[in-house]
Amino acid sequence: MEGKAVDTSSGGAAAEKASVLEQPLLTGEKSKCVKVMVAVDESDGSFYALNWTLNHLFNLPAEESGRESSMVFMVHVQQPFQPFIYPAGPVVYATPMVIESMKKAQEENAAGVLNRALQMCKDKKIKAETLILYGDPKDRICEAAEELHVDLLVVGSRGLGKIKRAFLGSVSDYCAHHAHCPILIVKPPREFVQK
């Protein structure tokens, strides 16, 4: 990425800025393949973030932008199923049949989420890969971003209130503080959340 000199002969505020860097993320001059990772789940907020990413960061096909084909990685993290239930009374353990049924339902849900995300990428002719990970979403998303050496991590904002965020924690907030790459948190517009 090259710097572009700015004429500072006029003085004033322009003189304070000796140079402006033109750093287009995914458009412009020839450069390397850019890898973007988007965390997706069944929430509308995560699909809004994916759609925003595809529309704003991948707006030119590789042939027109003069770059190698950029790639988006879509990651879905499944939390491990807890084989016991804590009702108001004693601990209740789930039967093996219930556990197997829950695992199958989780796998079907993950496949549905990723198929929907892949279809969005295919419609825009963007090269994409999917990953299903297991564990705590906050940790696994940050680990995957580091292992894949992505250039940008994109997560949606679910708009949790202060109380829910205090108890549940915010995946986007955690990633913003722990990811070792640039992170973009896409917050949906108010009209989108109210639907």
Side-chain angles (χ1 to χ4, degrees), residues 32-143:
K32 67 176 182 126
C33 174
V34 176
K35 295 190 286 187
V36 177
M37 188 171 93
V38 181
V40 292
D41 61 14
E42 58 279 342
S43 72
D44 290 337
S46 72
F47 281 97
Y48 180 85
L50 175 60
N51 191 46
W52 189 95
T53 301
L54 299 176
N55 287 335
H56 291 86
L57 302 180
F58 291 89
N59 55 359
L60 284 178
E63 305 80 41
E64 293 178 30
S65 67
R67 74 169 57 244
E68 294 176 34
S69 180
S70 295
M71 171 174 252
V72 64
F73 291 94
M74 293 168 294
V75 62
H76 177 76
V77 182
Q78 290 183 355
Q79 293 184 1
F81 175 69
Q82 300 295 329
F84 42 85
I85 304 165
Y86 291 105
V91 175
V92 177
Y93 289 94
T95 64
M97 194 164 57
V98 169
I99 293 171
E100 194 60 39
S101 174
M102 289 299 294
K103 286 182 180 179
K104 185 175 181 179
Q106 278 185 324
E107 290 171 4
E108 289 173 0
N109 181 48
V113 165
L114 292 175
N115 284 337
R116 180 178 168 196
L118 269 176
Q119 188 59 48
M120 290 172 68
C121 293
K122 284 181 184 177
D123 291 345
K124 303 236 181 228
K125 297 181 172 81
I126 295 170
K127 188 175 174 184
E129 282 190 25
T130 60
L131 297 163
I132 298 177
L133 304 174
Y134 300 91
D136 182 11
K138 295 182 264 194
D139 293 325
R140 297 299 289 147
I141 290 169
C142 290
E143 290 169 6

Side-chain angles (χ1 to χ4, degrees), residues 169-182:
S170 168
V171 172
S172 58
D173 184 59
Y174 182 90
C175 291
H177 289 93
H178 294 89
H180 296 289
C181 65

